Amino acid sequence: EAGVVQSPRYKIIEKKQPVAFWCNPISGHNTLYWYLQNLGQGPELLIRYENEEAVDDSQLPKDRFSAERLKGVDSTLKIQPAELGDSAVYLCASSLGGPTTEAFFGQGTRLTVV
Amino acid sequence: SQQGEEDPQALSIQEGENATMNCSYKTSINNLQWYRQNSGRGLVHLILIRSNEREKHSGRLRVTLDTSKKSSSLLITASRAADTASYFCASRASGSRLTFGEGTQLTVNP
């Protein structure tokens, strides 16, 4: 079974440019998470989906970040415009749903804004 | 901060020794999970302990949970060089949000 797939693995962009990340969760997983991880720190939740509904987006900086999960499967996370401080690893994870299930993580996208 | 705290931030031991990492969290939880992350990779789930459990084992891993102190510990016994990684605890409250700690960087020297 394929795991959570993210692309691209690496992205370098200039500040003020837009960028998008893509995530394909494990088949059948209703819950999808986007996390941001700075170097040497733990992941911080940006947004959580239950199927196609964003149920927890209180940590998402909505002035520049947006996300969507069409048809409750794949998801994209967009930043427009990117700032230098957005340089980080963006992790996608999925789970079956429910409080006692584990989350499966993708490899992440390392974003560098120059 | 949304995150809990872990200590130590970094731990260096010799192969064969035991490694203990501690985690504190802030709110009432449904369960607490431990994850491992190798450098440049995604996180991998290790073990989950429910709020009504006090101790759980999985292979060389032993996890304890003290809900009165809002703390948990992860013990890795007979460590190996391949255990070198960052270890994160993640608390799950009733609303299904999974909140991670800052992590412990474990180095096991051969």
Side-chain angles (χ1 to χ4, degrees):
Chain A
E1 179 183 321
V4 176
V5 179
Q6 290 187 248
S7 69
R9 283 279 282 134
Y10 304 93
K11 189 74 175 178
I12 301 174
I13 63 170
E14 294 184 344
K15 61 182 180 182
K16 300 184 181 179
Q17 294 302 305
V19 64
F21 314 125
W22 176 80
C23 173
N24 179 231
I26 293 173
S27 178
H29 281 195
N30 299 323
T31 304
L32 184 145
Y33 310 81
W34 281 103
Y35 283 90
L36 176 155
Q37 186 176 28
N38 287 303
L39 187 64
Q41 298 185 20
E44 298 178 39
L45 181 69
L46 290 172
I47 190 168
R48 174 170 63 91
Y49 283 92
E50 296 293 342
N51 298 304
E52 62 270 20
E53 183 182 359
V55 297
D56 187 350
D57 64 355
S58 58
Q59 309 292 331
L60 190 72
K62 297 182 182 64
D63 57 337
R64 296 184 301 107
F65 286 64
S66 64
E68 62 180 9
R69 190 184 185 195
L70 299 177
K71 300 181 181 179
V73 181
D74 293 1
S75 177
T76 56
L77 177 69
K78 298 178 182 178
I79 308 175
Q80 183 172 11
E83 298 177 352
L84 294 176
D86 295 332
S87 295
V89 175
Y90 291 82
L91 294 165
C92 179
S94 69
S95 69
L96 281 170
T100 58
T101 57
E102 65 186 270
F104 293 81
F105 282 79
Q107 300 270 46
T109 295
R110 181 177 296 279
L111 173 67
T112 302
V113 182
V114 298
Chain B
S1 168
Q2 66 170 318
Q3 298 178 322
E5 296 179 358
E6 293 183 60
D7 77 273
Q9 286 188 323
L11 179 61
S12 182
I13 59 175
Q14 297 298 121
E15 244 182 347
E17 295 181 339
N18 296 339
T20 300
M21 290 159 266
N22 303 296
C23 161
S24 62
Y25 56 91
K26 297 184 178 180
T27 64
S28 297
I29 60 171
N30 179 287
N31 62 72
L32 187 134
Q33 305 177 27
W34 285 89
Y35 288 78
R36 164 193 169 128
Q37 185 178 37
N38 287 84
S39 180
R41 308 294 292 269
L43 284 80
V44 175
H45 181 267
L46 294 175
I47 192 167
L48 180 153
I49 185 166
R50 292 176 170 77
S51 59
N52 62 352
E53 297 176 312
R54 292 295 168 260
E55 187 171 312
K56 199 162 184 180
H57 297 254
S58 176
R60 294 185 294 113
L61 305 181
R62 177 185 153 229
V63 170
T64 62
L65 180 64
D66 186 336
T67 53
S68 66
K69 296 181 179 178
K70 291 187 169 62
S71 67
S72 175
S73 68
L74 171 67
L75 168 68
I76 303 175
T77 60
S79 64
R80 305 166 182 168
D83 293 329
T84 294
S86 291
Y87 291 82
F88 296 91
C89 68
S91 56
R92 189 187 287 278
S94 59
S96 288
R97 173 183 285 202
L98 197 57
T99 302
F100 285 83
E102 298 281 357
T104 293
Q105 172 62 49
L106 173 66
T107 302
V108 182
N109 302 299

